[in-house]
Amino acid sequence: MKHLKVGGLMTDDVVSALPDTSFREVAKLLAEHDISGLPVVDADERVLGVVSESDLLARRALTARGVMSAPAVTVHAEEAAADAARLMVRRGVERLPVVDEEERLVGIVTRRDLLRVFLRPDHEIRRRIREEVLADAMDLPPDAVDVHVLDGVVTLAGRVRLRSQAVMLRQLAERVEGVVAVVDRLSARDGDGRLDAPSTRSAYDFSE
């Protein structure tokens, strides 16, 4: 299955600061570019930390080195957008510097950027589930089960041969970009009917 990568959502024109950038200059950069935070990098563009508006308000050091939060929480451009979203929520940050294999800054991704994942049209989500999940990943006919999508909520209904197929289908559908939740109305022929009571599960359950 294809998954949207961080590199497809990030901003590559990044406003950054050096460790010895003054407190006043950092505040000026945030105001001029209308941003709430920026990465602090060394002379080789390796990310050392991040300065946010809250960092500036909470501390009164003279330079970016003194006010930045370190070490920085970073991601790579090839990582899945969903994984970046989970990391962002788990670590309680609003933005993630994007780095290359040598940890050098190549971009930045924000929560607002990641919300674009949820703007995928319903018909596109349905097509991807039928083609990429049912046909490609599970080698089933695209119409093996009924796939209904409304406002990003996917309902899977019908009967498959094995319980394991139903479980896998639900899990793979949850990972399709744009899916908000999955309503499971599947049953299997190898047992006593329905797998369990119809349920709704968020595709982006960050509590795990």
Side-chain angles (χ1 to χ4, degrees):
M1 291 174 58
K2 299 176 182 178
H3 295 287
L4 189 61
K5 305 296 185 182
V6 170
L9 295 173
M10 72 180 189
T11 298
D12 55 15
D13 183 16
V14 188
V15 178
S16 62
L18 295 170
D20 59 355
T21 301
S22 69
F23 181 102
R24 183 182 179 87
E25 183 62 24
V26 171
K28 183 179 178 182
L29 286 171
L30 295 182
E32 285 183 348
H33 295 276
D34 192 25
I35 53 179
S36 59
L38 54 76
V40 180
V41 299
D42 64 15
D44 295 319
E45 290 293 310
R46 290 185 173 85
V47 180
L48 303 176
V50 174
V51 175
S52 67
E53 291 174 329
S54 58
D55 290 327
L56 293 178
L57 293 173
R59 306 171 194 174
R60 281 293 180 265
L62 297 178
T63 64
R65 188 192 304 277
V67 296
M68 70 183 185
S69 297
V73 182
T74 62
V75 293
H76 290 86
E78 291 304 309
E79 292 186 43
D83 292 336
R86 292 186 180 95
L87 175 63
M88 198 174 284
V89 172
R90 187 167 65 247
R91 299 297 296 271
V93 296
E94 297 289 333
R95 67 200 58 78
L96 294 170
V98 184
V99 297
D100 63 14
E101 295 78 5
E102 297 183 6
E103 303 303 312
R104 291 175 301 199
L105 183 68
V106 295
I108 196 162
V109 65
T110 66
R111 289 196 180 196
R112 181 177 297 177
D113 296 328
L114 293 173
L115 283 175
R116 289 165 51 191
V117 170
F118 294 100
L119 300 180
R120 192 178 298 276
D122 289 341
H123 66 84
E124 175 65 12
I125 296 173
R126 182 174 185 270
R127 182 191 66 78
R128 292 192 62 185
I129 291 176
R130 285 166 56 90
E131 294 180 3
E132 298 180 14
V133 175
L134 288 169
D136 295 345
M138 301 189 63
D139 197 26
L140 294 171
D143 58 353
V145 301
D146 180 58
V147 180
H148 179 73
V149 186
L150 180 62
D151 294 334
V153 177
V154 176
T155 300
L156 302 173
R159 184 182 293 269
V160 293
R161 187 170 63 87
L162 301 173
R163 289 175 182 268
S164 59
Q165 288 179 315
V167 172
M168 182 179 294
L169 174 54
R170 180 178 62 199
Q171 292 174 342
L172 291 176
E174 289 169 350
R175 293 184 61 83
V176 172
E177 277 83 17
V179 173
V180 175
V182 174
V183 178
D184 181 1
R185 300 188 183 279
L186 297 168
S187 61
R189 293 195 295 269
D190 70 340
D192 56 355
R194 191 176 300 280
L195 291 164
D196 47 26
S199 61
T200 301
R201 177 174 169 181
S202 172
Y204 288 82
D205 184 356
F206 301 125
S207 61
E208 298 178 358

